[in-house]
Amino acid sequence: QVQLVESGGGLVQAGGSLRLSCAASGRIFSINTMGWYRQAPGEQRELVADVTRGGMIYYADSVKGRFTISRDNAKNTVYLQMNSLKPEDTAVYYCNVVFPGYNYWGQGTKVTVSS
C-alpha cells in the first residue's frame, strides 16, 4: 500500500513563506505526475501546480511567480515552495501522486495566511 505523508502547513503572515512536502512510501513502482491541489472553505478544489516525470511543470495563474514546485525522484518526494503568500492562498493543500493507471491523495495540510 502506498502512503503519502504531507508536512509543512501552518499559519503565516501575508508576504511570508511556507514549504510543503509530500513523500510517497510503500509499494513504489513508477511515479508519473506529482502535484498539489488546494481547496478553500466552500470552494472547489483546484490544481495549484504539478510536475511530470519528464520535468514539465504547470502553475495556476494565481500562483505563477510566487510558488515553485519541485520533485526529488530518489526520495519519492514533491515540494511546494510558497513565497509572497496572500490571504487568498488560505486553503487545505492536498498532495496528488499519479502512478500508471491510478493515483493517490494525501490527507491535506492546512495553510492559513493572515492579513
Side-chain angles (χ1 to χ4, degrees), residues 62-82:
S62 59
V63 306
K64 283 184 178 179
R66 300 188 298 118
F67 291 10
T68 303
I69 190 170
S70 61
R71 62 189 286 174
D72 185 334
N73 291 328
K75 297 181 179 180
N76 295 316
T77 300
V78 62
Y79 306 93
L80 186 67
Q81 178 66 47
M82 304 185 294

Side-chain angles (χ1 to χ4, degrees), residues 15-26:
S17 299
L18 287 173
R19 191 189 193 212
L20 307 183
S21 299
C22 175
S25 63

Side-chain angles (χ1 to χ4, degrees), residues 21-74:
S21 299
C22 175
S25 63
R27 295 179 294 175
I28 306 297
F29 299 98
S30 181
I31 297 176
N32 292 334
T33 300
M34 307 181 77
W36 292 94
Y37 291 71
R38 68 185 181 187
Q39 187 167 23
E43 300 184 10
Q44 298 180 353
R45 185 175 298 187
E46 65 173 341
L47 175 63
V48 177
D50 63 22
V51 53
T52 70
R53 182 199 302 154
M56 296 182 62
I57 294 175
Y58 164 86
Y59 293 106
D61 288 342
S62 59
V63 306
K64 283 184 178 179
R66 300 188 298 118
F67 291 10
T68 303
I69 190 170
S70 61
R71 62 189 286 174
D72 185 334
N73 291 328

Side-chain angles (χ1 to χ4, degrees), residues 10 13 28 35-36 76 104 109 115:
Q13 293 179 321
I28 306 297
W36 292 94
N76 295 316
Y104 285 87
T109 183
S115 301

